[in-house]
Amino acid sequence: MKGRALPTGESATPEVLALARVVARLRSEVADLEGVAATAAVVERAKGVLMAQSGVCAETAYGLLLGHAAERGHTLLEECWLVLGRALPGPPPGTAPAEASGPAGAGEAMAAPAPGRGRHLAGRPDRGATLRPLLSRLAQGLAVADAGDGVAELLLGVLGVDAGVDAVMIYSLTLAGSLELTGRAGIDESLAERWRRIPPLTGVAAHEAVAARRALWLEDPVQDARRYLLIGDPPDRWLSRAWLPVPAEGPPKAVIGFLRARPGPFPADTRALLRRAARLCAGPLGAPARSLDADADAGRGDLGVTSVQRVLDALPGPAILLTPLRSESGEVEDYRIDAASPESVDVAGRRGKELVGRRILETYPTLGSTPVWEGYRETLTTGTGYEGEPFTYEEVVGGVPRRSVFSVRASRLEDRLVVSWVRHDASERQARRLADMQRLGNLGWAGWDLATGTATWSEQVYAIFDRDPAEGPLSLERLPRHVLPDDLPQLGTAVQRLLSEGEAVDQTFRITTAGGLRHLRIVAEAQTDADGTPVEVHGFFQDLTTQRGTELALRETERAVLLQRGMLQAERALAARLQDTLLPTPEQSMELAGLGIDVAYVPADQGLNVGGDWYSSIELPDKSALFVVGDVAGHGLGAVGTMAQLRFTTKGMTVTGSPLPDVLRRLNSLLLHTASDPSGGATATMVMARYQPWDRRLIWVRAGHLPPLLVRGGRATFLEQPQGPLLGASFEAAYGQAVIELMPGDHLLLYTDGLVEEPGEDIGAGLARLAASALRLVREGCGETLARTLAALCPDHRDDICVLDVHVPDGP
């Protein structure tokens, strides 16, 4: 890679390039970095406070800081935070003061004032002023707070009002991988006991925050409940939650949960506050103790590079520590990168620890001709913070120039520099978005230079082909070798037309990988020269394996549904024909034993299956009349078969003169003994009545059926029911009978539950509605068609309706 900085759009001078080469050759002669590092802005600010309070010089103030840190067992940075905390104005009314003095988290160096734009920034407003009082109070309290509950109580007390936090939970990771509750505030004992230990399960936000090393913000309780197991009793007690891992060397060992009763997202300033608070808790919640060497360095007033690296590891954004490399005369010839934050990325894509040990002029040779270089020198000499104007840095990769715009800041840290920068162009962000899009869409881009024979694949294409990137991409000519033979002719023809005629390709094909068969799609087009000859091909591959699997499963399901539907329709047609044969419904009223009989049968409006409702009205040998209405549980052919069995058996037994209770007992035994299902056979309800015309007496029995309705003399009443359980339910069932004398003008209704039942309604309401409707229709002169009219009043019924009206004519 070659790079150059273009502060004014001009190239670097040859002298600067020569200097860069000399510096590169002298690299082995430069002394290693010695001393220690900390955050210069925090140290300088604490020195200024002591100078103002005690009237001492800068050197004396620095000595005081070192002496106090050694006496109290603090690091220099912790002592600086305590000095700044005591110098802040008192807390606003209603806010609890800090409990005690103590160390602040090293990660809070970000709250220090940013260095100036080529000048000292002490007079500029501090953008962290709104957060620093809270963080300072928190740092002071953490110095003496007991780990666990003490830290949780401190977090809730300091952040509760400003961050809207109602409860705090602190979990520590055990060796077995589970989370153990080690601190709580705002959580009652019973709830804490239930959630004291969380095994390493998926779907737990606290576990995910530790594993992913990132904060989780749960701000939609409905969606969050679908994805995570929410802590709480009930879980919606806290409508928004945040789980933040506590930074540590290596994987996090603790996680802090901030729980809020209020709904909605966490504002940006609240998120920043909670992140910094979590970083401050790294010490008391298990950060490694300082080594003896580090303590010795602090006592000498010289902080180790390791300590600086720990600070940078906790900081967001790019930042590096530069050590000046001097000649024998003391002039700065170059700088070496001795520490870097994880989010530090240079123009070549090197990040974090990959930058450590590199030299500035060797890695970025033309930077020496820019104002940035002079800014470094001025800051190192005078201690004045530097903040440069945005400048354009151009890098040349593979002969292609690429430009990026940066703003650089620098601060002196003893005899070193802390440098941070902001990349203003969107190329890096666009690259991340492109990578995310390829990963989420399971597709990747590819390009082939036909003139040079080179090919380029994105990382996702290698994943799609299950190919090691070290093997390089496939050429278009070699691509068909990896395709299944059945798909080879179509793909080969399409690729040949693309290469010879420049015709675009959109083709699906299959390949075999170590992970199994994959369905892929290639979409590509060619760029041609002036003669129309293709010289470059670019396009993308997409993995359609999951989609094809879903399509195949959907087709199989559709076939099964259609097959099942056809079988159900055939069964319904057969059952309907059988039912019509067994239950011929007369189109008008008929007369039996001197009574007027009106019958209505209406099948259900919904569903494919035929129900088991049935009726029977016959004249017996002794000139009496038998009336039956029944309802077999279930639908379909089975229900129709049971209905036919009951109907014919009932007729045969009553014709032979069997008493009605005996008929029900034998029907019950019949259903119990003919059950085809070992767990229980068919069940049915029935009401049966025998009318004797010579004395107008009606003898009736029931088996779990709804009571008959008698309309007489302007009133509608349900008959008191004799004993009679469901048919097919028990061998011990017993059945009684009741007798009623019918009078001229009476209407007696026998019916099934489809006439009175409505979803979600009590059966009593349906019976009351039936009584009112029947009485009204009789008064309106509809007595001869009472059964059919009642059935017509239920247009949207979900069950079969069967109604039989027995009418005693008026007169002697």
Side-chain angles (χ1 to χ4, degrees), residues 54-203:
S54 305
V56 297
C57 65
E59 185 175 355
T60 303
Y62 188 74
L64 289 174
L65 288 173
L66 291 176
H68 292 162
E71 292 173 359
R72 299 167 183 170
H74 299 161
T75 65
L76 176 62
L77 188 60
E78 291 170 347
E79 187 63 25
C80 291
W81 268 109
L82 293 177
V83 170
L84 292 177
R86 289 192 291 268
L88 290 169
T95 304
E99 295 179 6
S101 298
E108 289 312 304
M110 286 296 292
R117 191 177 297 272
R119 56 186 176 84
H120 197 273
L121 301 179
R124 294 180 58 178
D126 188 354
R127 63 178 180 179
T130 57
L131 301 182
R132 192 176 296 110
L134 295 176
L135 296 174
S136 180
R137 287 173 50 206
L138 184 59
Q140 293 172 354
L142 288 173
V144 295
D146 295 330
D149 289 346
V151 175
E153 293 288 352
L154 179 63
L155 288 170
L156 182 59
V158 174
L159 306 179
V161 175
D162 293 87
V165 175
D166 299 295
V168 176
M169 302 182 78
I170 300 176
Y171 281 95
S172 297
L173 190 65
T174 65
L175 294 177
S178 61
L179 289 176
E180 184 171 353
L181 183 65
T182 54
R184 60 184 176 90
I187 303 293
D188 57 66
E189 181 64 31
S190 60
L191 181 60
E193 188 61 32
R194 284 196 296 273
W195 293 93
R196 187 164 301 279
R197 183 170 287 101
I198 304 177
L201 303 173
T202 58

Side-chain angles (χ1 to χ4, degrees), residues 455-478:
T456 305
W457 279 6
S458 68
E459 293 182 3
Q460 192 63 28
V461 177
Y462 288 102
I464 290 174
F465 277 82
D466 198 14
R467 183 177 177 86
D468 187 351
E471 299 178 7
L474 293 173
S475 65
L476 285 173
E477 293 80 359
R478 294 170 54 199

Side-chain angles (χ1 to χ4, degrees), residues 272-294:
L273 176 61
L274 297 183
R275 288 181 189 275
R276 296 185 180 185
R279 287 197 291 269
L280 278 177
C281 294
L285 293 183
R290 291 174 291 154
S291 65
L292 294 177
D293 293 338

Side-chain angles (χ1 to χ4, degrees), residues 369-386:
S369 64
T370 69
V372 174
W373 192 262
E374 292 301 321
Y376 287 174
R377 178 176 303 175
E378 180 181 357
T379 300
L380 193 61
T381 303
T382 66
T384 302
Y386 169 78

Side-chain angles (χ1 to χ4, degrees), residues 595-812:
L595 302 175
I597 309 301
D598 186 41
V599 179
Y601 175 80
V602 184
D605 287 340
Q606 301 178 2
L608 294 174
N609 288 324
V610 176
D613 291 19
W614 61 281
Y615 75 93
S616 179
S617 57
I618 61 172
E619 186 176 66
L620 299 177
D622 60 357
K623 304 302 180 179
S624 62
L626 178 68
F627 306 106
V628 186
V629 168
D631 186 358
V632 178
H635 296 81
L637 287 175
V640 174
T642 301
M643 176 266 290
Q645 188 180 40
L646 292 177
R647 188 168 186 265
F648 291 126
T649 303
T650 300
K651 284 185 178 181
M653 295 179 66
T654 54
V655 166
T656 60
S658 297
L660 298 186
D662 289 347
V663 174
L664 289 182
R665 280 192 294 272
R666 294 176 183 177
L667 292 177
N668 180 62
S669 298
L670 175 66
L671 292 184
L672 289 171
H673 285 289
T674 58
S676 58
D677 186 352
S679 63
T683 59
T685 66
M686 180 189 299
V687 59
M688 179 168 49
R690 181 173 182 173
Y691 176 70
Q692 301 174 167
W694 53 86
D695 57 7
R696 293 183 177 176
R697 297 181 68 197
L698 183 83
I699 304 170
W700 69 283
V701 294
R702 59 176 286 274
H705 206 84
L706 295 173
L709 176 64
L710 177 64
V711 181
R712 171 186 291 174
R715 296 183 60 189
T717 57
F718 292 99
L719 300 183
E720 293 187 7
Q721 303 184 83
Q723 179 183 7
L726 189 73
L727 295 177
S730 171
F731 283 102
E732 305 300 327
Y735 299 92
Q737 69 178 20
V739 180
I740 183 177
E741 183 177 349
L742 295 182
M743 307 295 292
D746 285 353
H747 286 268
L748 184 67
L749 285 173
L750 310 180
Y751 54 91
T752 59
D753 53 8
L755 185 66
V756 294
E757 286 186 343
E758 290 290 343
E761 183 183 69
D762 184 77
I763 188 65
L767 293 173
R769 183 172 56 251
L770 171 62
S773 299
L775 184 59
R776 176 177 55 83
L777 292 174
V778 170
R779 290 174 176 174
E780 293 175 356
C782 300
E784 293 186 359
T785 60
L786 182 59
R788 285 171 286 175
T789 306
L790 286 172
L793 294 178
C794 304
D796 299 324
H797 52 94
R798 299 187 179 186
D799 198 0
D800 293 357
I801 295 177
C802 183
V803 188
L804 190 150
D805 173 40
V806 177
H807 172 50
V808 181
D810 295 330

Side-chain angles (χ1 to χ4, degrees), residues 1-3 344-351 354-355 358 363-364 393-397 402 404 406 423 428:
M1 181 196 76
K2 297 180 180 179
S344 299
V345 183
D346 71 357
V347 291
R350 294 178 289 259
R351 66 177 60 242
E354 296 177 342
L355 299 173
R358 294 186 174 273
T363 309
Y364 320 106
Y393 188 88
E394 180 175 305
E395 56 183 338
V396 181
V397 180
R402 297 177 182 175
S404 299
F406 295 89
R423 189 170 184 173
E428 183 180 0

